Amino acid sequence: MKAAVLHRYDETLSSDTFVHYEDVPDPRIEKPTDVILRVGGAGVCRTDLHIVEGIWRSKVDVQLPYIMGHENAGWVEEVGPAVEGFAVGDAVICHPLVTSGHCLACRRGDDMHATDSQFPGVNANGGYADYLRTGQRSLIKLPAGLAPKDVAPYTDAGLTAYRAAKKASRHLLPGQFVTVIGAGGLGHIGIQVLAALCAAEIIAVDRSDTGLALAKECGAHHQIRADGEEVENVMALTGGRGAEAVIDFVGEGEAVAKGLAMTANAGFYYIVGYGGRIEMPTLDMITSEKTIVGNLVGTYPELVELMALADRGLVHLATREYRLKDANQALHDLHHGRIRGRAVLIP
Amino acid sequence: MKAAVLHRYDETLSSDTFVHYEDVPDPRIEKPTDVILRVGGAGVCRTDLHIVEGIWRSKVDVQLPYIMGHENAGWVEEVGPAVEGFAVGDAVICHPLVTSGHCLACRRGDDMHATDSQFPGVNANGGYADYLRTGQRSLIKLPAGLAPKDVAPYTDAGLTAYRAAKKASRHLLPGQFVTVIGAGGLGHIGIQVLAALCAAEIIAVDRSDTGLALAKECGAHHQIRADGEEVENVMALTGGRGAEAVIDFVGEGEAVAKGLAMTANAGFYYIVGYGGRIEMPTLDMITSEKTIVGNLVGTYPELVELMALADRGLVHLATREYRLKDANQALHDLHHGRIRGRAVLIP
Amino acid sequence: MKAAVLHRYDETLSSDTFVHYEDVPDPRIEKPTDVILRVGGAGVCRTDLHIVEGIWRSKVDVQLPYIMGHENAGWVEEVGPAVEGFAVGDAVICHPLVTSGHCLACRRGDDMHATDSQFPGVNANGGYADYLRTGQRSLIKLPAGLAPKDVAPYTDAGLTAYRAAKKASRHLLPGQFVTVIGAGGLGHIGIQVLAALCAAEIIAVDRSDTGLALAKECGAHHQIRADGEEVENVMALTGGRGAEAVIDFVGEGEAVAKGLAMTANAGFYYIVGYGGRIEMPTLDMITSEKTIVGNLVGTYPELVELMALADRGLVHLATREYRLKDANQALHDLHHGRIRGRAVLIP
Amino acid sequence: MKAAVLHRYDETLSSDTFVHYEDVPDPRIEKPTDVILRVGGAGVCRTDLHIVEGIWRSKVDVQLPYIMGHENAGWVEEVGPAVEGFAVGDAVICHPLVTSGHCLACRRGDDMHATDSQFPGVNANGGYADYLRTGQRSLIKLPAGLAPKDVAPYTDAGLTAYRAAKKASRHLLPGQFVTVIGAGGLGHIGIQVLAALCAAEIIAVDRSDTGLALAKECGAHHQIRADGEEVENVMALTGGRGAEAVIDFVGEGEAVAKGLAMTANAGFYYIVGYGGRIEMPTLDMITSEKTIVGNLVGTYPELVELMALADRGLVHLATREYRLKDANQALHDLHHGRIRGRAVLIP
Ligand SMILES: [Zn+2]
Ligand SMILES: [Zn+2]
Ligand SMILES: [Zn+2]
Ligand SMILES: [Zn+2]
Ligand SMILES: [Zn+2]
Ligand SMILES: [Zn+2]
Ligand SMILES: [Zn+2]
Ligand SMILES: [Zn+2]
Ligand SMILES: [Zn+2]
Ligand SMILES: [Zn+2]
């Protein structure tokens, strides 16, 4: 089959060619619960750029060359002998982790913390290819109205935004505020999820006109430019107390300190983006009684929930399609901020 | 002042004249925290009919003659010496209970279970009058956009619907269902609150075309007539499992048994209406692991939250205005099912 | 192998011989995830009496003759080809349900509501036998200090008590009260779990001196005889407000109405025992804002938690051992109230 | 009356005399809800040392000279005209904040975040004196078995430890671990509260033999010396995954980084002590999905709960008594680590 293969890291992202479009062997069923997917679409993610940079090298165990692509949807091509409930041709979306379902985390419904998981595209071959090997437990059947290429980025970008927004929605009340920092590929989903799941007023903070316009379309009630005065402006909007929840999809540079500063006392700062650092005196954490919450993608049931929102039209994903052989173009467009929403590679 | 006074119970609701419009002494400040309200509107409630019937006699301690009216909004007319933060002329809505704020329930934010409360219109004179004595702690200032006569019924009908819907919204997930039984004065608010606070699909069950049409306007995604087949129809809609939450605004007749039957296993049945009985074998409660939840109006902060929804236009209350002197007409219209939404008496 | 087999229902429990001790074929691996267990102990449960009476006939699909016994522990005897992580000879306890782990309930950690489960001893052959076929997903390895015959009844009786007590412990605060109705096989575990998981004062209500003495040993702070005055006595102990949680392990006769009556306003009544009926006016549910909670055994992770308590000595199970061939004696002793704690059959 | 008065800040804590024991005017009733307390005991707190150092100057608005002492208990000496429910001579303990009870935070049961509070001893005169002016809403009547001088430090030290431990107990399950860093004045209460409220295994980490011995007496199941290897040792104890909750009563130096490192993935780090900094890459927060929780004293109902624990003997406070005129001795003993438990000044 064809695949876009990563052969070497590029710490400065300066090469024109991050991945090579080439022939590789087809994946094969190895375990009785394995499934071969014909890829319908593979999302291109900032995490892929971080993988190319080598940032994830210390976190995961993977050898080059390998195939990136952790946001996958497509059709069942072949199933292992122990697979039940799926037939060849079924349109499916893949939860990013493949678990056995036996560890205590899985049993408690917290599969993101499984002790027994594989992460195709991150620690195994992924979906920048014609075919992908995954496991039965990662599959969710798609409703008839949703096409694989249109939903692929939900598996990571969408799911991560969904989980953080859902956590916030559990405590947000009418009359309260939630600030979303960064109205890009994740943020624009986060805003739509918040609008669907709670009645807090949504404040979008972004550097660009494009981002703020997208935020407004997605349901943000207020738009604030990240121009250095964003903390003061959020404070002014919220009667001086800050937002009861802040979801930071940027997570680097000044966003972190500003995000924490615009969080109300007794409020929650959800960190989703990464690259930067949290730095805060313990005294300030105590007098403010704020909570800082890490967010790691989302669970399989949460992806089912997100598909329900998408199927009802409550969440819409802005995508831009690329041919698989144009993967480098997609990665560069993402790197240079030229993509509104999410890029998807189509074999 | 003028008031519509209840002089005697009428167990069969057969009299033309439940209350008498007559002159009574003005209420006066008695405690330092008392407030005199110039009534802008007083909601007429099914509970008032139940009071006339004498159903509440065993639950509360009140002597006839007295003035009903527990859903009040208006303007501050006079304040006691210890009242802070309110000035004559302020437009306010009254939480139905007047508490001292000192008992442990109040301290925990659960003022509906205060051990130290008064309930004007139920166990003290209420708002079917030109003026009403209440206490500082019951008052919430109205946003500029909301007029007392338009919001008065929120204090009980709206608040009760809000609290039950909010409880349900805490556990309802995308892909799940909530059934609202009874799309009347409370139910039509409950539907709007559910639509604002969660992304479950809303099924309205009502006997009448009017109710079902109102439910649809309010955001119900499915309408089912209460024609005897409503359990089967809810089951069919929900893939055979029932609704994860059922909010029963009827609470009498067959609604209770049917409401419990259409609740999914591990689901929640919220009982709001009353008059009937819960009857269920313990074996069925155990094998289904259902939960039955009683609902008693709502807290002061919940009324603040509901006002925030109303102020943003997320909840709208259908009202029909009557002159205070026409209180009997309003009560009879309610009794005979001739009111869409809620009746409000205006002095 | 030998087994104690149920050949016919006995609605009045009047026969001397409920089950027959006889030779039956050994169970065999059928699915790749099957496991054959050498039974170390099988708990004898009131549910078994109810099965003999035929009460469960309408709830489950099983054909006579079959083998009861749903509270099983023992040693792995043989594993199917897809079983990982268990070896022949491992001492294990069995969660009562065998699930595939694929349905949404399992994925959410709520395996008791799996749509894909088998319940050995209830809808398939159980552990009143030398060997039992179960599935990998039901198995939990035992810590070295716990022997199968000593822990078998935890799988249902203990787990059911644990789950209800755990639910209550999530909201019980210091200064509050929890009443346990029935200090028998389940109740004495429930009391120990409450003592381990929260700091509410525990009130035991039981008909017998034996029960009250066992309750005291298990950590109940107050003992009240179920002599007709138990509601008044609980009210007196709790300053007139009732207990914030009531766990009813009896669930029949007067226990239900009394249990509801001794529940505090805004409190929770947990129903575990069965045979009786819940009957309550909706008006009372509303003015009291009580919650009635059904309880169905417990999840796999909850059984892991309970084993952790048992291993640390925080929960102790009173058992009485019988030879498997004396199963009828055990069933009769249970029926006639002659067992303190739980009976266990040992092959 | 006599009081120990703070006249100047001492940033290096190098003076022998932090406060002056001298005559000052008696406090007087000013507002109708004021109460004059005859001080029975005033706790001496590390916060008092931080006040002397001037650390709190930027956080609160107070003018020197003033009287410290924010951990107070005693007897009602005089009540304002609007005070209900308290009589001269009543033994009481004071919640540290005096609120009006009217703001939304108070209404929601979250009085620590009141917008309308006074904090005697921090932003107003406190209890290092014969008499103290406070407000009705701060008072809790003491059970007969508890003397003011023995419970005074519960109001802040105890309450802070209680709230953090209670938060952790809400999610800690049997089989999980909680680490307490610092077994001093707060930590030894925290350990006792954890032992009362949950069944997780408690690991105490402290630098000193005294601390570890006190931790063991208080119910810690494991003691680990803070000798540089504490992270590795906690990891070893917890099967390599870390503790599901870490409560850091130190909050400065290496404790913070080590506390975060020994927190399990998806676990919670509760920060209570202060003086240091939280520093963590956002990437680590995301891959670990940890939560960092600030903790600010506790609510009035939580102090009621803590008194219930103390009254039942489930929590015991180690105190050392000093005469009020020996306040400087107490402050220096605290500063130099010479106090086991908490110091209390007695007028
Ligand atoms: Zn991604
Ligand atoms: Zn797992
Ligand atoms: Zn480039
Ligand atoms: Zn009403
Ligand atoms: Zn109260
Ligand atoms: Zn009529
Ligand atoms: Zn059983
Ligand atoms: Zn399942
Ligand atoms: Zn202190
Ligand atoms: Zn306040």
Side-chain angles (χ1 to χ4, degrees):
Chain A
M1 67 172 182
K2 291 290 186 187
V5 182
L6 179 70
H7 285 270
R8 80 185 59 82
Y9 296 115
D10 176 357
E11 291 180 19
T12 56
L13 295 181
S14 52
S15 165
D16 281 348
T17 311
F18 299 144
V19 293
H20 289 262
Y21 185 70
E22 63 197 37
D23 284 300
V24 298
D26 283 7
R28 297 199 316 204
I29 298 287
E30 295 187 352
K31 290 199 299 181
T33 53
D34 279 351
V35 171
I36 303 297
L37 188 80
R38 179 157 65 87
V39 177
V44 177
C45 180
R46 194 163 298 277
T47 289
D48 295 333
L49 291 173
H50 290 316
I51 289 172
V52 174
E53 291 175 301
I55 284 182
W56 281 85
R57 251 182 296 185
S58 65
K59 297 273 169 189
V60 299
D61 178 32
V62 74
Q63 297 299 321
L64 299 193
Y66 94 110
I67 305 167
M68 296 193 298
H70 57 274
E71 308 188 347
N72 304 306
W75 299 270
V76 172
E77 178 75 15
E78 190 186 347
V79 299
V83 173
E84 294 176 348
F86 289 93
V88 173
D90 282 350
V92 294
I93 186 168
C94 302
H95 186 268
L97 291 192
V98 183
T99 64
S100 77
H102 293 331
C103 75
L104 203 49
C106 285
R107 300 279 200 164
R108 284 186 169 134
D110 186 23
D111 51 33
M112 281 311 298
H113 293 281
T115 58
D116 53 1
S117 66
Q118 218 185 15
F119 196 166
V122 175
N123 66 15
N125 281 334
Y128 282 20
D130 289 333
Y131 297 98
L132 165 74
R133 180 175 57 236
T134 180
Q136 159 165 12
R137 282 183 58 84
S138 74
L139 302 184
I140 297 169
K141 278 185 200 168
L142 284 175
L146 299 176
K149 73 180 172 56
D150 294 330
V151 297
Y154 279 125
T155 61
D156 176 34
L159 184 54
T160 300
Y162 176 77
R163 180 172 171 85
K166 179 186 171 188
K167 283 186 191 175
S169 77
R170 297 288 93 172
H171 64 82
L172 284 166
L173 297 169
Q176 297 187 330
F177 291 87
V178 52
T179 297
V180 171
I181 303 180
L186 274 76
H188 87 290
I189 302 290
I191 290 166
Q192 295 175 75
V193 173
L194 287 166
L197 295 192
C198 74
E201 289 187 54
I202 304 167
I203 305 169
V205 174
D206 198 281
R207 288 191 203 169
S208 72
D209 282 337
T210 322
L212 294 176
L214 179 58
K216 189 169 186 178
E217 274 175 49
C218 289
H221 306 96
H222 309 275
Q223 295 83 39
I224 290 180
R225 183 177 302 279
D227 59 0
E229 301 294 312
E230 57 265 44
V231 175
E232 292 71 14
N233 286 329
V234 169
M235 286 298 167
L237 250 178
T238 57
R241 49 174 218 273
E244 281 78 7
V246 172
I247 308 182
D248 183 354
F249 290 105
V250 173
E252 58 184 1
E254 296 196 330
V256 181
K258 286 186 186 296
L260 280 162
M262 64 180 66
T263 304
N265 283 0
F268 294 75
Y269 169 75
Y270 297 93
I271 176 73
V272 182
Y274 58 89
R277 292 177 66 79
I278 291 166
E279 306 210 347
M280 198 170 184
T282 49
L283 178 59
D284 291 349
M285 279 298 287
I286 284 153
T287 55
S288 69
E289 209 172 24
K290 292 177 187 176
T291 297
I292 301 173
V293 184
N295 292 280
L296 179 60
V297 197
T299 65
Y300 177 101
E302 287 171 338
L303 186 52
V304 174
E305 294 159 21
L306 180 56
M307 287 301 97
L309 291 181
D311 190 38
R312 288 176 54 207
L314 294 175
V315 174
H316 178 261
L317 178 65
T319 59
R320 179 160 151 198
E321 302 181 7
Y322 293 80
R323 306 284 298 273
L324 172 57
K325 65 178 181 181
D326 300 325
N328 285 304
Q329 185 62 45
L331 286 162
H332 277 285
D333 285 351
L334 174 63
H335 181 41
H336 297 290
R338 294 189 293 249
I339 295 174
R340 185 169 183 276
R342 301 289 289 189
V344 178
L345 301 180
I346 300 178
Chain B
M1 70 171 181
K2 291 291 187 186
V5 181
L6 178 70
H7 286 270
R8 80 184 60 81
Y9 297 114
D10 176 356
E11 292 181 16
T12 56
L13 296 181
S14 53
S15 164
D16 281 348
T17 311
F18 299 143
V19 292
H20 289 261
Y21 184 69
E22 61 196 37
D23 284 299
V24 298
D26 284 6
R28 298 198 317 202
I29 298 287
E30 295 187 352
K31 291 199 298 180
T33 53
D34 280 352
V35 171
I36 303 298
L37 188 81
R38 179 157 65 85
V39 177
V44 177
C45 180
R46 195 162 298 276
T47 289
D48 296 333
L49 290 173
H50 291 316
I51 289 172
V52 174
E53 290 175 300
I55 285 182
W56 281 84
R57 253 183 294 185
S58 65
K59 300 270 170 191
V60 300
D61 178 32
V62 73
Q63 297 299 320
L64 301 193
Y66 95 109
I67 305 168
M68 298 193 296
H70 57 274
E71 308 189 346
N72 304 305
W75 299 270
V76 173
E77 178 75 15
E78 190 186 348
V79 300
V83 172
E84 293 177 346
F86 290 92
V88 172
D90 283 350
V92 294
I93 187 168
C94 301
H95 185 267
L97 291 193
V98 183
T99 63
S100 77
H102 293 331
C103 74
L104 202 50
C106 285
R107 299 281 200 164
R108 284 185 168 135
D110 186 22
D111 51 34
M112 280 312 298
H113 293 281
T115 58
D116 53 359
S117 67
Q118 219 184 15
F119 196 168
V122 175
N123 66 14
N125 281 334
Y128 282 21
D130 290 333
Y131 297 98
L132 167 73
R133 180 175 57 234
T134 181
Q136 159 165 11
R137 281 183 59 84
S138 75
L139 303 183
I140 296 169
K141 279 185 201 168
L142 284 175
L146 300 176
K149 73 180 172 57
D150 295 332
V151 297
Y154 279 125
T155 60
D156 176 34
L159 183 54
T160 301
Y162 176 76
R163 179 171 171 87
K166 179 186 171 187
K167 284 186 192 176
S169 76
R170 296 290 93 173
H171 63 82
L172 284 166
L173 297 169
Q176 297 187 330
F177 290 86
V178 53
T179 297
V180 171
I181 303 179
L186 274 77
H188 87 291
I189 301 290
I191 290 167
Q192 295 175 75
V193 172
L194 287 165
L197 295 191
C198 74
E201 288 187 55
I202 304 168
I203 304 169
V205 174
D206 198 280
R207 287 192 205 169
S208 71
D209 283 338
T210 322
L212 294 176
L214 179 58
K216 189 170 187 179
E217 274 175 49
C218 289
H221 306 95
H222 309 275
Q223 295 84 38
I224 289 181
R225 183 178 301 281
D227 59 2
E229 301 294 312
E230 55 265 46
V231 175
E232 292 72 14
N233 287 328
V234 168
M235 286 297 167
L237 250 178
T238 56
R241 49 175 219 273
E244 282 78 6
V246 172
I247 309 182
D248 183 353
F249 290 106
V250 173
E252 57 184 3
E254 296 197 328
V256 181
K258 286 186 184 297
L260 280 162
M262 64 179 65
T263 304
N265 282 1
F268 294 75
Y269 168 75
Y270 297 93
I271 177 74
V272 183
Y274 57 90
R277 293 177 67 80
I278 291 166
E279 306 210 346
M280 197 169 183
T282 50
L283 178 59
D284 291 350
M285 280 298 288
I286 284 153
T287 54
S288 68
E289 209 172 23
K290 293 177 186 177
T291 297
I292 301 173
V293 184
N295 293 279
L296 179 60
V297 198
T299 66
Y300 178 102
E302 287 171 337
L303 187 52
V304 173
E305 294 159 22
L306 180 57
M307 288 300 97
L309 290 182
D311 191 38
R312 288 177 54 206
L314 294 175
V315 175
H316 177 261
L317 178 65
T319 59
R320 178 159 150 201
E321 302 180 9
Y322 292 81
R323 306 283 300 272
L324 173 56
K325 65 178 181 183
D326 300 325
N328 285 304
Q329 185 62 45
L331 287 162
H332 277 285
D333 285 350
L334 174 63
H335 181 41
H336 296 291
R338 294 190 292 250
I339 295 174
R340 185 170 182 274
R342 301 288 289 188
V344 178
L345 301 181
I346 302 178
Chain C
M1 69 172 181
K2 290 291 187 185
V5 181
L6 179 70
H7 286 268
R8 79 186 60 83
Y9 297 114
D10 176 356
E11 293 182 16
T12 57
L13 295 181
S14 53
S15 164
D16 281 349
T17 311
F18 299 142
V19 293
H20 288 263
Y21 184 70
E22 61 195 37
D23 284 299
V24 297
D26 283 7
R28 297 199 316 202
I29 298 287
E30 296 187 352
K31 290 199 299 181
T33 53
D34 279 351
V35 171
I36 303 297
L37 188 80
R38 179 157 64 85
V39 177
V44 177
C45 180
R46 194 162 299 275
T47 290
D48 295 335
L49 291 173
H50 290 317
I51 289 172
V52 174
E53 289 174 300
I55 285 183
W56 282 85
R57 253 182 293 185
S58 63
K59 299 272 170 190
V60 299
D61 178 32
V62 74
Q63 298 298 322
L64 299 194
Y66 94 110
I67 305 168
M68 298 192 298
H70 57 275
E71 308 189 344
N72 304 306
W75 299 271
V76 173
E77 178 74 15
E78 190 185 348
V79 299
V83 172
E84 293 177 348
F86 289 92
V88 173
D90 283 350
V92 295
I93 186 168
C94 302
H95 186 267
L97 291 192
V98 183
T99 63
S100 77
H102 293 331
C103 75
L104 203 50
C106 285
R107 300 278 200 165
R108 285 186 167 133
D110 186 22
D111 51 34
M112 280 312 298
H113 293 282
T115 57
D116 54 0
S117 66
Q118 219 185 15
F119 196 167
V122 175
N123 66 13
N125 281 333
Y128 282 21
D130 289 333
Y131 297 98
L132 166 74
R133 180 174 58 233
T134 181
Q136 159 165 11
R137 281 183 59 83
S138 75
L139 303 183
I140 296 169
K141 278 185 200 169
L142 284 175
L146 299 177
K149 73 180 172 59
D150 295 331
V151 297
Y154 279 125
T155 60
D156 176 34
L159 183 55
T160 301
Y162 176 77
R163 179 169 171 87
K166 179 186 172 188
K167 284 186 191 175
S169 76
R170 297 288 94 172
H171 64 82
L172 284 167
L173 297 168
Q176 297 187 330
F177 290 86
V178 53
T179 296
V180 171
I181 302 181
L186 273 77
H188 87 290
I189 301 289
I191 291 167
Q192 295 175 75
V193 172
L194 287 165
L197 295 191
C198 74
E201 289 188 54
I202 303 168
I203 304 170
V205 174
D206 198 281
R207 286 192 206 169
S208 71
D209 283 337
T210 322
L212 294 176
L214 179 58
K216 188 169 187 180
E217 275 174 49
C218 288
H221 306 96
H222 309 275
Q223 296 84 39
I224 288 181
R225 183 177 302 279
D227 59 2
E229 302 295 310
E230 56 265 44
V231 175
E232 293 72 15
N233 287 328
V234 168
M235 286 297 167
L237 250 177
T238 57
R241 48 176 219 274
E244 281 79 6
V246 172
I247 308 182
D248 182 353
F249 290 106
V250 172
E252 58 183 2
E254 296 197 327
V256 181
K258 286 185 185 298
L260 280 162
M262 65 179 64
T263 303
N265 283 0
F268 294 75
Y269 168 76
Y270 297 93
I271 177 74
V272 183
Y274 57 89
R277 292 177 67 81
I278 291 167
E279 307 211 346
M280 199 169 182
T282 50
L283 179 60
D284 291 349
M285 280 299 287
I286 284 152
T287 55
S288 69
E289 210 172 21
K290 293 177 186 177
T291 297
I292 302 174
V293 184
N295 292 279
L296 179 61
V297 197
T299 65
Y300 178 102
E302 287 172 337
L303 186 53
V304 173
E305 295 159 21
L306 180 57
M307 288 300 97
L309 290 182
D311 191 38
R312 287 176 55 207
L314 294 176
V315 175
H316 178 261
L317 178 65
T319 59
R320 180 160 150 198
E321 303 181 6
Y322 292 81
R323 306 284 299 271
L324 172 56
K325 65 178 181 183
D326 300 326
N328 286 304
Q329 185 62 44
L331 287 162
H332 277 284
D333 285 350
L334 174 61
H335 181 41
H336 296 291
R338 292 189 294 250
I339 293 173
R340 186 171 182 275
R342 301 290 288 189
V344 178
L345 301 181
I346 301 178
Chain D
M1 68 172 183
K2 291 291 188 186
V5 181
L6 179 69
H7 286 270
R8 80 185 59 82
Y9 297 114
D10 176 355
E11 293 181 16
T12 58
L13 295 181
S14 54
S15 166
D16 281 349
T17 311
F18 299 142
V19 293
H20 288 262
Y21 184 70
E22 62 197 36
D23 284 298
V24 298
D26 284 6
R28 297 197 318 202
I29 299 287
E30 295 187 353
K31 290 199 298 182
T33 53
D34 280 350
V35 171
I36 303 298
L37 188 80
R38 179 157 65 86
V39 177
V44 177
C45 179
R46 194 162 298 275
T47 290
D48 295 333
L49 290 172
H50 291 316
I51 290 172
V52 174
E53 290 175 300
I55 284 183
W56 282 85
R57 252 182 295 185
S58 65
K59 299 271 170 191
V60 299
D61 178 32
V62 72
Q63 298 298 321
L64 300 193
Y66 94 110
I67 305 168
M68 296 192 299
H70 57 273
E71 307 189 346
N72 304 306
W75 299 269
V76 173
E77 179 75 13
E78 192 185 346
V79 298
V83 172
E84 292 176 348
F86 290 92
V88 174
D90 283 351
V92 294
I93 186 168
C94 300
H95 185 268
L97 291 192
V98 183
T99 64
S100 77
H102 293 332
C103 74
L104 203 50
C106 284
R107 299 280 200 164
R108 285 186 168 133
D110 186 23
D111 51 33
M112 280 313 297
H113 293 281
T115 58
D116 54 359
S117 67
Q118 219 185 15
F119 196 167
V122 174
N123 66 14
N125 282 335
Y128 283 20
D130 289 333
Y131 297 99
L132 166 74
R133 181 176 56 234
T134 181
Q136 160 167 11
R137 280 183 58 84
S138 74
L139 302 183
I140 297 169
K141 278 186 201 168
L142 284 175
L146 299 176
K149 73 180 171 57
D150 295 331
V151 297
Y154 279 125
T155 61
D156 176 34
L159 183 55
T160 301
Y162 176 78
R163 180 171 171 87
K166 179 186 170 187
K167 283 185 191 174
S169 77
R170 296 289 93 172
H171 65 82
L172 284 166
L173 297 169
Q176 296 187 330
F177 290 86
V178 53
T179 297
V180 171
I181 303 179
L186 273 77
H188 87 291
I189 302 290
I191 290 166
Q192 295 174 76
V193 172
L194 287 166
L197 294 192
C198 73
E201 289 187 56
I202 304 168
I203 304 169
V205 173
D206 198 280
R207 284 191 206 169
S208 72
D209 284 338
T210 322
L212 293 176
L214 179 59
K216 188 169 186 180
E217 274 174 50
C218 288
H221 305 96
H222 309 275
Q223 295 83 40
I224 289 180
R225 184 177 302 279
D227 59 2
E229 301 294 313
E230 56 266 43
V231 175
E232 292 73 13
N233 287 328
V234 168
M235 286 298 168
L237 249 177
T238 56
R241 44 175 223 274
E244 281 78 7
V246 172
I247 308 182
D248 182 353
F249 290 106
V250 173
E252 58 184 2
E254 296 196 328
V256 181
K258 285 185 185 299
L260 279 163
M262 65 179 65
T263 304
N265 283 0
F268 294 76
Y269 168 75
Y270 297 92
I271 177 73
V272 183
Y274 56 90
R277 292 177 67 81
I278 291 166
E279 307 210 346
M280 198 170 184
T282 49
L283 178 60
D284 291 350
M285 279 299 286
I286 284 152
T287 54
S288 69
E289 209 171 24
K290 293 177 186 176
T291 297
I292 302 173
V293 184
N295 292 280
L296 179 60
V297 197
T299 65
Y300 178 102
E302 287 172 338
L303 186 52
V304 173
E305 294 159 21
L306 180 56
M307 287 300 98
L309 291 182
D311 191 39
R312 288 176 54 205
L314 294 175
V315 175
H316 178 261
L317 178 65
T319 59
R320 178 159 150 199
E321 302 181 7
Y322 292 80
R323 306 283 299 271
L324 172 57
K325 65 178 181 181
D326 300 326
N328 285 304
Q329 185 61 44
L331 287 163
H332 277 285
D333 285 350
L334 174 62
H335 181 41
H336 297 290
R338 293 189 295 249
I339 294 173
R340 183 170 184 275
R342 301 288 290 187
V344 177
L345 301 181
I346 301 178

